[in-house]
Amino acid sequence: MNFRSDNTAPAAPEIIAALTRVNEGATAAYGEDQWSHRLDAAFGEVFERDVRVFTVASGTAANAISIASLTPPWGAVLCHREAHIERDECGAAEFYSGGAKLVLIDGAAAKVSAVALEECIARNTRDIHAVTPSVLSVSQTTERGAVYRPDEMAALGEVTKRAGLGFHVDGARFGNAVAALKCKPAEITWRAGVDLLSFGATKNGALAAEAIVCFDLELAEEIERRRKRSGHLLSKGRFVAAQLLAYLEDGLWLKRAERTNALARQLGEAAGKHVSVPVESNQVFIKAGADGLRKLRDAGAQFYDWGPGEARLVVSWSQAEADVEAMCSLLSTL
Amino acid sequence: MNFRSDNTAPAAPEIIAALTRVNEGATAAYGEDQWSHRLDAAFGEVFERDVRVFTVASGTAANAISIASLTPPWGAVLCHREAHIERDECGAAEFYSGGAKLVLIDGAAAKVSAVALEECIARNTRDIHAVTPSVLSVSQTTERGAVYRPDEMAALGEVTKRAGLGFHVDGARFGNAVAALKCKPAEITWRAGVDLLSFGATKNGALAAEAIVCFDLELAEEIERRRKRSGHLLSKGRFVAAQLLAYLEDGLWLKRAERTNALARQLGEAAGKHVSVPVESNQVFIKAGADGLRKLRDAGAQFYDWGPGEARLVVSWSQAEADVEAMCSLLSTL
Amino acid sequence: MNFRSDNTAPAAPEIIAALTRVNEGATAAYGEDQWSHRLDAAFGEVFERDVRVFTVASGTAANAISIASLTPPWGAVLCHREAHIERDECGAAEFYSGGAKLVLIDGAAAKVSAVALEECIARNTRDIHAVTPSVLSVSQTTERGAVYRPDEMAALGEVTKRAGLGFHVDGARFGNAVAALKCKPAEITWRAGVDLLSFGATKNGALAAEAIVCFDLELAEEIERRRKRSGHLLSKGRFVAAQLLAYLEDGLWLKRAERTNALARQLGEAAGKHVSVPVESNQVFIKAGADGLRKLRDAGAQFYDWGPGEARLVVSWSQAEADVEAMCSLLSTL
Amino acid sequence: MNFRSDNTAPAAPEIIAALTRVNEGATAAYGEDQWSHRLDAAFGEVFERDVRVFTVASGTAANAISIASLTPPWGAVLCHREAHIERDECGAAEFYSGGAKLVLIDGAAAKVSAVALEECIARNTRDIHAVTPSVLSVSQTTERGAVYRPDEMAALGEVTKRAGLGFHVDGARFGNAVAALKCKPAEITWRAGVDLLSFGATKNGALAAEAIVCFDLELAEEIERRRKRSGHLLSKGRFVAAQLLAYLEDGLWLKRAERTNALARQLGEAAGKHVSVPVESNQVFIKAGADGLRKLRDAGAQFYDWGPGEARLVVSWSQAEADVEAMCSLLSTL
């Protein structure tokens, strides 16, 4: 009953198979191989428009390169107080951007609302003495497992465009969001005004493969430069490309995400009134008090604390159904 | 006859096998898995002392993180004019260090001599108005395929210690150097005063695995921070650890390097008087004039130009012997 | 009745006279003149110990250079939510530090309490994924005109030392604090554990002269480098040195500050129950509602709004007493 | 006979008088005073077009802010090997730009020729692995006292425009260049394609006043931000504005420069065949061997060595004519 994180999971067999498949003979390095060359088209199909795709080795890199490409060093990066870029990336956005400032927004379920965004922009739009709002970065799904619906994304996008801000999405669990919303990826990205997406694959089955999906094509050159300069342009590009192609092929990414979402829903139902944030994707938050959490751990459950008396359970792509069933039984005893 | 670069090669079967082997069940993320935990010891055995090892996704990252950990932003990074960090990393060292300045040293075969180093330090040790020499970075093997012997490294190390400089080695092809010198890795690293080594595995058989080997243990915390902050701490750390463990196991790294060195030697012998830099590792430089190079290419050889009328041939771990034989025949017609 | 800010004031006649006095003949540049050479001793006398002093052209520079010298790029700079470094320096601390993160602390009168500091350190001391608390920066007087008493400073200092943090004071109005506390400068700086002080003179009478007073002498070299590299080492150093020497001479700085503090107290008394923050130095905050503020402005008073219905009045060294009397009359009609 | 540097001189009486003149009453801070508001127009008259002017406290700040506004962090800043930004600013350009790389060009009298510039651009225009030429920075007058004629500037400007580079001029001694060339300031700046000029006043008579003159008006916002963020927006802006207005008034800047140029010419004539770089402005370089220089020093002359056996003599605005005559007599004995 290991529900610590989806990055404790191994790689999916389809991904490993893809690595083996491309491991033949010499090929051009640094993304000039045939597999890397197919990435733009593969993602273009998913997003129903022309895109440029830049692979990187981690979500932190995807986020930081994206944000640095959307803000000057004297900009304010608006994000939720619990955002991964604020809490879990050791200041990567600040490093890559040359010292931009993260300005924090509150909101339930780690979501930024259009109203809160507008207030934040208004409060922080001042004079030469203050940093100036330059980009909004939201997580889809959020750090609390919530999803932004297409209309919510469009509302955020409208505010950013009106205020002249860039719009970035940290999609470390983007597959779970699309699976939950049953929407087209376009609806919650470029059609809503998103400029850059950190498209995650690692948590949902890859070894180490993330992509910056670039909807504002004028940013491509800058992203490419920042990727190279930070050491994220890999020499044997075929291997990261292969992972991403396999991840998209036949909708593997969505199938995996649908399954983990469904299992998380089961956990949520079992936890009943202890659920502290509505379950919308593969993360489940429960408030059971210190005693309750101890009881779960004593029974063999593994998870992270998420505030006092609160636990986060994450369902991984490799989670056994038996695991979930056992956990459900356990949760129903709370 | 593709001799473009050793990063056009696929991954070695042993490496792929290792990936498959560790791809079982859940394990702690971010380098807290059992394989990552074995890295320090495995490298410690190779280097015959306590070391701390930090894996990263590229040689550029290994170099830039290392250099930033050895220089303040107002430092001068001394390196050869043809160094990879100067010419091929898009300013990564400058980015990671907060704007340190690379100060260039000339020398045959892309080598920095102790005398040239001393002169450079003397010339650049000035007052508050100038950046101050803070670190020496050399490539082993060099960008011209040359190797530094233990006594040469010791002489460089002595100069750096006397002048209070850090000492970094870009070992993208470190295996080839050790194989060529038939020395102990310790002799050309920490025993010679090296503080940090970028230990490359990708060119010599890995998918994407490089390691910063830290001999000055007090630098470990800083390196770890810089790695995280730049997005080079991978979540599924087991996969990069597995590559490196397999790379070291049974001396795989040296066997591969010995073979490519030997094949390069054959090429050098075939090229005879056209060899422009003595062949010491897996890179061969030949001067054949524009006509000569065209002739080679017309016959199917692939390689990069390296200055006017000069070519660089690199032997990859996956190079077929037939390939080398064909190239030798071709070279002997020059 | 201009109470906008103390930096709307001209320079004191003593300061102008000092400029004229040193304006004779050639002298060494870049701080090697006789006046610059006297700075360390002059400040040493004020602070009753050995110090190193580095002049800069603005308080923002003094703060940013100090903070960058006390934090690594992956550090967290703890400060009050209303701190000048957070709100009014356009991200200078982030720029100079290579992207450190400001972590905000709440507290009445823009003060950081030792308890709040400890809580902030505890909440932000996590793992490799988060920035790590590295320095506390407080303003003395605060952005709300409050002062830290010696025991309060000592309590903060104790927390910083226990947690391994540096301790910086933004003393843009340091003179007003010392005058208000009637204490020795040492008591609220190095004896309380302060490492670096931004010692302001501009607001209180200089043209453009601020000093970084360095109590941790090991930081001197780094500060000097950062000053040069940011363009704050002035070539004709005599002029900034002369301002500071004149400012300290015969306690000019304290006399001016005592006067503005006293005048501010008068304003506070006149404003009576409308005073929103106890008046401790030369800043007065009053809550009079939108109507009240309009009334004041209609009668000729000039000041900045400081939140809804709240005004900030700052008494400058050059403020006429008649000005203050007129304002007092006006305030008493609220 | 102090010919060390023009920044050993005091401030001109006209400048001190101007400071006193503006030192009356309260006025808006941060460049919103009436004197600061006149700067754009005053410089606009000198340059015969609309300009935006940003005052800073040092030439290093003017250069670094300008360059950072003309290059991305992954850019190459092309400049002469002896340029002040390369040798004497402790890496300020690298710091402000977020780690751009200075790429050095050789040329007699510290001048960059259009041919050398083109070669440098060609040699450094490569691929994603290398930094990309983004800005040319030349000094007018150069570090060897030479001047660029209008046609030379136009030729450089043409190359930069063709290659898509920005064009910056370090005019620490810009007055000396205009006085020497007897040209219109426009001819050697914007009409020749210059985007940004560091206009120096300190060396030629001010206390501490330099200006970034912005010909590409779209850069104004960025420059203003970078100035604030680096602590170079002074609170009592009237004083720096007053210096610059007085400096320009009645052509004071050119009168001073004409005089120092003329005196330098006298020194050059006296030094005869020992002159090592043709004297074109207020700097004189002489090669007299170690013995010759010792002889000069023994006779009371003060100057800096500039390479082995070579001396640099700089004439300051406050240099007495008797001083120059004495030095001429001395030089004629070489």
Side-chain angles (χ1 to χ4, degrees), chain B residues 199-214:
Chain B
F199 180 95
T202 309
K203 284 183 160 67
N204 194 27
L207 267 86
E210 309 279 313
I212 300 169
V213 183
C214 180

Side-chain angles (χ1 to χ4, degrees), chain A residues 11 23 58 96 202 229-231 236, chain B residues 11 23 58 96 202 230-231 236:
Chain A
N23 197 37
S58 74
Y96 276 76
T202 309
R229 186 170 169 80
S230 60
K236 296 186 174 175
Chain B
N23 197 37
S58 74
Y96 276 76
T202 309
S230 60
K236 297 185 174 175

Side-chain angles (χ1 to χ4, degrees), chain A residues 131-334:
Chain A
V131 293
T132 186
S134 54
V135 55
L136 165 69
S137 178
V138 301
S139 302
Q140 174 79 304
T141 70
T142 76
E143 278 65 34
R144 288 296 198 149
V147 296
Y148 291 90
R149 295 186 314 268
D151 64 306
E152 291 174 313
M153 289 300 285
L156 290 172
E158 204 193 304
V159 176
T160 61
K161 292 320 160 223
R162 211 184 312 135
L165 271 65
F167 192 179
H168 166 252
V169 171
D170 174 357
R173 295 186 182 94
F174 187 73
N176 294 93
V178 175
L181 291 163
K182 299 183 201 310
C183 70
K184 296 191 165 192
E187 290 177 74
I188 52 171
T189 54
W190 63 274
R191 279 205 190 112
V194 172
D195 299 304
L196 295 173
L197 166 68
S198 298
F199 181 95
T202 309
K203 284 182 162 65
N204 194 26
L207 267 87
E210 310 280 312
I212 300 169
V213 183
C214 180
F215 302 113
D216 179 344
L217 302 183
E218 292 193 356
L219 295 171
E221 154 88 11
E222 179 164 351
I223 291 169
E224 204 171 0
R225 286 282 174 182
R226 292 192 185 275
R227 177 175 66 160
K228 170 65 197 178
R229 186 170 169 80
S230 60
H232 283 285
L233 172 61
L234 300 188
S235 60
K236 296 186 174 175
R238 61 171 112 176
F239 295 113
V240 64
Q243 291 180 63
L244 287 166
L245 293 174
Y247 185 66
L248 295 184
E249 203 172 290
D250 299 329
L252 175 66
W253 65 300
L254 290 176
K255 286 178 209 159
R256 298 266 183 225
E258 278 158 15
R259 180 173 172 277
T260 55
N261 285 359
L263 293 174
R265 223 159 27 232
Q266 289 179 30
L267 291 174
E269 279 156 20
K273 69 177 170 30
H274 295 289
V275 167
S276 52
V277 185
V279 179
E280 297 185 1
S281 58
N282 68 323
Q283 297 185 71
V284 180
F285 293 84
I286 57 172
K287 268 208 170 136
D291 287 351
L293 299 191
R294 193 171 323 114
K295 187 175 153 188
L296 296 177
R297 284 200 167 100
D298 288 348
Q302 296 176 39
F303 50 82
Y304 282 115
D305 282 359
W306 217 259
E310 193 172 6
R312 185 190 74 163
L313 311 180
V314 190
V315 180
S316 299
W317 75 264
S318 62
Q319 203 91 43
E321 270 156 53
D323 231 23
V324 174
E325 278 162 31
M327 191 69 200
C328 283
S329 303
L330 188 53
L331 286 170
S332 57
T333 68
L334 281 177

Side-chain angles (χ1 to χ4, degrees), chain D residues 35 59 91 98 196 289:
Chain D
W35 300 278
L196 296 173

Side-chain angles (χ1 to χ4, degrees), chain D residues 75-152:
Chain D
V77 180
L78 312 188
C79 65
H80 193 276
R81 184 175 303 281
E82 298 177 42
H84 204 263
I85 59 169
E86 163 67 10
R87 293 187 49 77
D88 296 301
E89 303 188 349
C90 201
E94 288 92 338
F95 170 43
Y96 276 76
S97 66
K101 187 191 284 288
L102 272 59
V103 171
L104 309 179
I105 301 175
D106 290 303
K111 282 175 77 171
V112 172
S113 73
V115 168
L117 173 62
E118 280 197 294
E119 280 171 7
C120 180
I121 294 172
R123 201 170 50 249
N124 286 282
T125 300
R126 293 169 53 214
D127 52 19
I128 192 71
H129 303 286
V131 293
T132 184
S134 54
V135 55
L136 167 69
S137 178
V138 301
S139 302
Q140 173 78 305
T141 70
T142 75
E143 278 65 34
R144 289 294 198 152
V147 296
Y148 291 90
R149 296 186 315 269
D151 64 306
E152 291 174 315

